[in-house]
Amino acid sequence: MTSVDQAVRLVRQAVIQDSKRNYPEAARCYREAITTFNELKQSRSSSKRLQDLLTTKLVQYEERLKILDEHLLSKTDLTKFFKELESCHFDDCRSSVSSDTKQLYKNPLLVKALDLIRRGRKEDEKRNFSVALACYESGLASLLDVLNRGILTERQTESARVKCLLYHDRAEVIRGHLERGG
């Protein structure tokens, strides 16, 4: 199967999923097709006619993908996302009786990281995505700095890593939305 055939198959699948209102799958198919079509467009073996056709189609597919992404982002139930993050129990270490743990909260980097992430969550819930992204990025950078210093217990380190991954994934979703003009 050629790249053109694969991209056309992906677009057909995207249209089918779109008509079935399976928007996440439709968006995935459009995204893959767009990537393939862009590769074809850049190929030196593509004729001028094919490149012009691809340019026209790419605009259409990118516009539809933008609409789907905005719809999916607006319909995203963030409560499940934030409950998953809460299950990491990293924030809950304040209630621990351990003096070592209480000592951690005297670390200004850790306090700053958690405060920035909390602020990001609040802005995310308000759908103020650009501020949320900035807070997430700063908070994650600070949290990674804390991890690199090795001042957390093994359990806290694992929990912080999970939290970093989850928030990083959320930040990437927001970044993609903002880059597409959201």
Side-chain angles (χ1 to χ4, degrees), residues 167-179:
Y167 279 114
H168 182 267
D169 287 348
R170 180 63 186 161
E172 287 302 312
V173 168
I174 293 170
R175 183 178 294 107
H177 171 70
L178 293 174
E179 286 174 355

Side-chain angles (χ1 to χ4, degrees), residues 80-145:
K80 180 181 177 191
F81 171 76
F82 291 128
K83 281 182 183 177
E84 287 173 1
L85 294 174
E86 289 300 320
S87 71
C88 293
H89 301 297
F90 188 64
D91 291 341
D92 295 339
C93 64
R94 283 187 196 215
S95 62
S96 173
V97 181
S98 165
S99 61
D100 291 341
T101 299
K102 287 181 182 176
Q103 196 65 28
L104 283 174
Y105 276 91
K106 293 181 180 175
N107 181 311
L109 283 176
L110 182 61
V111 171
K112 176 185 172 190
L114 295 176
D115 286 345
L116 282 165
I117 290 172
R118 281 188 197 99
R119 182 169 174 231
R121 281 182 28 195
K122 287 177 185 172
E123 296 299 328
D124 199 349
E125 288 170 338
K126 293 179 196 173
R127 302 204 178 283
N128 190 355
F129 297 124
S130 58
V131 174
L133 180 60
C135 290
Y136 284 150
E137 288 175 339
S138 297
L140 287 170
S142 294
L143 191 53
L144 285 171
D145 190 33

Side-chain angles (χ1 to χ4, degrees), residues 64-75:
R64 181 60 188 155
L65 179 59
K66 181 180 176 185
I67 291 167
L68 287 174
D69 282 341
E70 287 174 359
H71 172 75
L72 290 170
L73 189 61
S74 72
K75 297 297 181 190

Side-chain angles (χ1 to χ4, degrees), residues 10 14 32 44 79 88 147 154 174:
L10 283 165
E32 286 185 35
R44 292 183 180 179
T79 56
C88 293
L147 283 170
E154 188 175 323
I174 293 170

Side-chain angles (χ1 to χ4, degrees), residues 38-49:
N38 274 323
E39 290 169 1
L40 285 168
K41 189 177 164 188
Q42 302 303 321
S43 170
R44 292 183 180 179
S45 62
S46 297
S47 68
K48 172 75 171 132
R49 184 172 169 242

